[in-house]
C-alpha cells in the first residue's frame, strides 16, 4: 500500500493541468467521494496499529499533495456562450477606417513644421467684428477690402462679418499676450468671391506672427526659408517680391521656385517658374500700437498662406471645388496624419 501511495505522490508532483476540465477530473479522481483517497482511507481502517502509523503519515502527505496541486490549477474562466460556434479561421471582417481630409493633412504638416521652430497654435472666432478683422490691422476706412464684394457682412451696420483672413487672430493674440510672441493660427476664412476651379468663397489659411525685441526682415526670411525647405524639400529656393498689405510694412509675397519642366508648370506658374505661396511682412508699428504693444520696444513679422493652394499643388488636384464636395471616391485617395 505504501508503494501505491508513493507512486501517486510522485505522479501528482509532476502533474500540470491543461485547463479547468482537466483539474476537475483530477479532483474527482483523488478527492472525490469515490476517489483514490477515500478508498485508500477505507483500506487504512483495516490495518493494524503499527502499519497505521507509517501509512497514515503517507496518506496525509498524498492528500496535501493533491490539494496543493489543485491550488495551482487554472481558474474557472467564464465561458463565452458562443464558444465553439465561431470559426476562428474565417477571413476578418472588412473594416472601413476613415481617412483625413487632404486640407487637414496639409494643415497638420504645416503646424508640425512651425511647432518644431518654436511656434504654438492659436485659434480665433470665424465671426469677427470690424476691429479685429480690419480696423486694428490698419485698414483705412474706405479700403476696398472692406467692400461688400469681398466681405460677407453679418449685420447691416457692417460691424460684424465672417473673417476674411486669419490676420484677425494676430490682433487677438497681441491683445492677450506680451512679447515674445511666436504663434501660428490655422483656420477657415470667407470671401465673397465667385466660385471657380481656382477660388472658393470658403477656404483655409495659416497665419504666423513673431514679435520680440529686434526682430528683423532677415529673421522672417530665414524662418520662411526653413519652412519652405521642410515642406517642399531641402533644395527649395524662395524669393520675396515687394507687395502691399495695410498691416505690414514693408510687405512681400513669397514665391518658391517650381521650375518650368512641363506644360502644367507653365500654367501653374504663369510661365515664370515661380509659385506664389504666401503674403508676409514686418508688422506695421501702427498695428502693434493698436494692439497694446510698444512699437518703440518691439518689432515683428507676420505671414499668411492659403492651405488649398498648397494642397492642390501637393496632391495635383486641378479643381479647388473637389475639397468641399465630400465625394468619398476623392477623399479615399489621401492618407496622412
Ligand atoms: N492676411 C493676408 C491675406 O489674407 C495675408 C498676410 C498675412 C499678409 C500676414 C501679410 C502678413 O492675404
Amino acid at each position: 500500500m505504501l508503494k501505491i501511495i508513493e507512486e501517486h505522490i510522485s505522479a501528482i508532483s509532476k502533474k500540470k493541468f491543461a485547463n479547468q476540465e482537466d483539474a476537475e477530473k483530477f479532483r474527482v479522481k483523488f478527492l472525490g467521494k469515490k476517489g483514490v483517497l477515500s478508498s485508500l482511507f477505507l483500506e487504512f481502517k483495516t490495518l493494524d496499529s503499527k502499519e497505521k502509523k507509517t501509512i497514515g503519515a503517507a496518506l496525509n502527505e498524498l492528500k496535501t499533495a493533491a490539494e496543493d496541486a489543485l491550488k495551482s490549477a487554472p481558474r474557472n474562466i467564464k465561458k463565452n456562450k458562443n464558444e465553439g460556434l465561431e470559426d476562428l479561421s474565417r477571413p476578418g471582417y472588412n473594416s472601413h477606417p476613415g481617412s483625413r481630409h487632404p486640407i487637414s493633412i496639409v494643415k497638420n504638416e504645416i503646424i508640425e513644421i512651425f511647432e518644431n521652430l518654436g511656434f504654438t497654435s492659436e485659434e480665433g472666432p470665424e465671426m469677427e467684428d470690424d476691429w479685429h478683422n480690419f480696423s486694428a490691422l490698419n485698414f483705412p476706412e474706405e479700403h476696398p477690402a472692406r467692400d461688400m464684394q469681398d466681405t460677407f457682412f453679418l449685420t447691416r451696420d457692417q460691424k460684424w462679418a465672417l473673417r476674411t483672413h486669419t490676420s484677425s487672430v494676430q490682433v487677438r493674440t497681441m491683445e492677450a499676450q506680451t512679447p515674445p510672441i511666436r504663434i501660428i493660427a490655422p483656420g477657415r476664412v470667407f470671401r465673397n468671391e465667385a466660385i471657380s476651379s481656382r477660388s472658393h468663397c470658403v477656404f483655409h489659411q495659416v497665419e504666423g506672427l513673431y514679435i520680440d525685441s529686434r526682430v528683423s526682415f532677415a529673421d522672417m526670411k530665414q524662418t520662411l526659408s526653413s519652412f519652405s525647405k521642410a515642406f517642399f524639400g531641402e533644395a527649395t529656393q524662395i524669393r520675396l517680391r515687394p507687395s502691399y498689405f495695410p498691416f505690414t510694412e514693408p510687405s512681400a509675397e513669397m514665391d518658391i521656385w517650381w521650375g518650368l519642366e512641363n506644360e502644367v508648370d507653365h500654367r501653374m506658374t504663369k510661365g515664370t517658374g515661380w509659385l506664389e505661396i504666401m503674403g508676409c511682412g514686418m508688422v506695421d508699428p501702427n498695428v502693434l500700437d493698436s494692439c497694446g504693444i510698444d512699437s518703440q520696444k518691439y518689432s515683428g513679422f507676420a505671414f499668411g498662406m492659403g492651405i488649398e493652394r498648397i494642397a492642390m499643388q501637393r496632391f495635383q488636384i486641378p479643381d479647388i471645388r473637389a475639397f468641399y464636395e465630400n465625394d468619398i471616391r476623392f477623399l479615399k485617395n489621401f492618407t496622412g496624419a
Side-chain angles (χ1 to χ4, degrees), residues 164-167 170 191 205 207-208 245 247-248 279-281 302-304:
T164 58
H165 52 185
T166 42
S167 299
Q170 277 189 42
R191 284 188 203 172
Q205 289 187 327
E207 190 84 9
F245 299 101
F247 38 94
T248 46
C280 57
F303 54 88

Side-chain angles (χ1 to χ4, degrees), residues 22 31 42 48 53 77-79 89 141 176 182 191-192 198 208 242 253 259 263 277 312 317 319 328:
D22 193 17
L31 303 164
L42 280 180
D48 62 35
K53 222 180 160 190
I77 295 163
K78 256 208 172 157
K79 270 198 204 150
S89 64
E141 206 60 61
R182 224 182 306 177
R191 284 188 203 172
N192 195 357
R198 301 292 300 166
E253 298 283 352
E263 203 37 50
I277 298 294
M312 285 167 81
I317 298 166
D319 192 322
I328 292 284

Side-chain angles (χ1 to χ4, degrees), residues 11 13 16-17 21 43 45 89 91 177 195 215 236 241 251 260 266 275 284 297 317 328 330:
S13 71
K16 280 212 173 73
F17 300 107
E21 238 168 67
E43 210 181 323
K45 281 183 189 159
S89 64
Q177 298 180 14
I195 297 172
V215 175
T236 307
R241 265 180 304 115
S251 305
L260 278 172
H266 274 271
L275 199 62
D284 193 301
K297 238 170 110 185
I317 298 166
I328 292 284
F330 168 75

